[in-house]
Amino acid sequence: MWHDVLLEKLLDRITGSTRPQRILRAVQKNSTRGSPCSVVNAIDDYCKHKEWAMNVGDEKGIIVDDVVLELKPITVLELGTYCAYSTVRIANLLPPEAKLITLEFNAESAAIAREIITWAGLEEKIQLIIGASGDWIPRLKEEFGIETFDLVFLDHWKDRYLPDTKLLEKCGLLKPGAVLLADNVICPGTPDYLDYVRNSPRYKSKFYRSHLEYTQEEDGLEHSVFLGLYDNPNLWPLVRPENRPTRVRERETWLDVGLRNRSTMDQFTIVRWRMGRWHR
């Protein structure tokens, strides 16, 4: 994407504006105030025909739409606002009582995003926060009264996907059934994050193959359902054996071998212990 970097710098110099500012002008010129769909379409049209931008884009955007419509989340956290393309796209599909909190590190991008959100008429549904995700995630419960999130959309710095996911877990902001939807997991890629959600017993994860926004470069979205089972032995039997913690699999192998040679009462005792209900 080196040519895109050069084009952006050239346009910055020629126009005396930044890419987010040019996207805002395109929205104000080519969309209808109060119409989120027309805002999304205006950004897509500009990024397809004028200059590339790091939105989730129209192709992956359809996948995002499907996830939101199926999940019907009431509380949504977006990490990485940029120009509010996905913010507007997601918020437009949420039920009236829902709330979306979006976090953006760059203050200049956040200022543009706020204007686009207002232009789309979604300012009452969206809370835009400026700052680092690592600083804000531990404060979300206290500052906004959020207990847990139904959906988390990750589209910020790729090296923050994994630490912020672990921080969300630590802060108790994920409940069983919550969905993490992560963009750009192939291009530029998030190998440590993928390894974690695909191999942790805390998640059931699948990959949606697609393309990098407005290009034919291979990319995709990782959809990970938080199971919340790892620390609850009572629920381990509900998880597929290969997804259970190693220490649980080893213990169950020993139990299975010994169970056949036990009395009925011993078998009952072992099964209770296996289910996590037996306490010495």
Side-chain angles (χ1 to χ4, degrees):
M1 302 296 289
W2 60 269
H3 58 284
D4 172 70
V5 175
L6 294 177
L7 177 62
E8 181 180 11
K9 292 185 179 298
L10 179 62
L11 288 174
D12 287 354
R13 177 168 295 185
I14 292 174
T15 64
S17 62
T18 64
R19 177 176 288 167
Q21 290 170 338
R22 293 190 290 274
I23 290 175
L24 173 62
R25 285 203 295 266
V27 166
Q28 293 170 335
K29 179 180 179 181
N30 300 310
S31 71
T32 303
R33 181 184 284 272
S35 171
C37 289
S38 71
V39 169
V40 168
N41 290 338
I43 296 175
D44 280 334
D45 184 71
Y46 182 82
C47 294
K48 283 180 180 178
H49 302 110
K50 299 295 183 180
E51 58 176 323
W52 182 90
M54 55 182 180
N55 313 304
V56 69
D58 52 346
E59 184 180 346
K60 287 182 291 184
I62 294 173
I63 300 172
V64 174
D65 292 350
D66 289 343
V67 171
V68 174
L69 290 171
E70 180 181 357
L71 188 62
K72 298 179 176 60
I74 300 301
T75 51
V76 180
L77 174 64
E78 179 185 45
L79 299 178
T81 315
Y82 189 48
C83 292
Y85 173 92
S86 52
T87 317
V88 169
R89 187 158 195 148
I90 293 171
N92 185 46
L93 299 176
L94 297 178
E97 69 275 20
K99 188 72 174 180
L100 188 156
I101 295 176
T102 183
L103 258 168
E104 174 56 45
F105 179 77
N106 186 294
E108 294 180 2
S109 295
I112 298 297
R114 198 180 302 278
E115 290 196 55
I116 291 177
I117 290 167
T118 301
W119 184 272
L122 294 170
E123 64 272 20
E124 295 300 319
K125 191 175 285 187
I126 298 168
Q127 178 71 51
L128 173 60
I129 303 172
I130 304 172
S133 54
D135 295 334
W136 269 102
I137 287 174
R139 300 167 55 186
L140 292 176
K141 283 192 175 187
E142 181 181 354
E143 295 279 347
F144 301 102
I146 296 291
E147 289 300 319
T148 56
F149 289 102
D150 301 315
L151 173 65
V152 179
F153 183 57
L154 298 94
D155 197 17
H156 56 329
W157 295 108
K158 309 314 165 191
D159 60 358
R160 289 300 310 174
Y161 279 26
L162 181 55
D164 284 345
T165 294
K166 291 183 176 180
L167 189 56
L168 287 165
E169 295 172 359
K170 181 180 178 181
C171 294
L173 287 165
L174 300 178
K175 64 180 181 181
V179 171
L180 304 183
L181 190 62
D183 189 23
N184 301 129
V185 295
I186 301 300
C187 183
T190 56
D192 58 342
Y193 173 80
L194 288 182
D195 180 68
Y196 180 70
V197 295
R198 290 176 178 179
N199 294 290
S200 169
R202 291 175 180 259
Y203 294 94
K204 181 179 180 181
S205 201
K206 60 182 176 181
F207 175 65
Y208 291 105
R209 190 175 304 280
S210 187
H211 297 94
L212 181 68
E213 45 268 28
Y214 316 116
T215 76
Q216 291 303 306
E217 187 77 23
E218 183 181 354
D219 195 19
L221 295 157
E222 190 76 6
H223 177 285
S224 306
V225 180
F226 181 67
L227 302 176
L229 303 178
Y230 187 92
D231 297 324
N232 188 347
N234 291 325
L235 298 178
W236 281 337
L238 303 180
V239 187
R240 290 187 307 172
E242 63 270 24
N243 287 338
R244 297 177 199 167
T246 301
R247 57 190 172 89
V248 176
R249 295 200 303 270
E250 291 173 348
R251 186 176 71 183
E252 290 184 339
T253 299
W254 176 83
L255 289 170
D256 287 334
V257 170
L259 193 58
R260 293 189 295 271
N261 300 319
R262 301 279 181 164
S263 68
T264 301
M265 183 55 68
D266 284 343
Q267 289 182 22
F268 177 70
T269 301
I270 289 172
V271 169
R272 289 182 65 198
W273 183 67
R274 180 182 191 171
M275 294 287 285
R277 301 191 184 105
W278 182 257
H279 303 285
R280 294 183 182 274

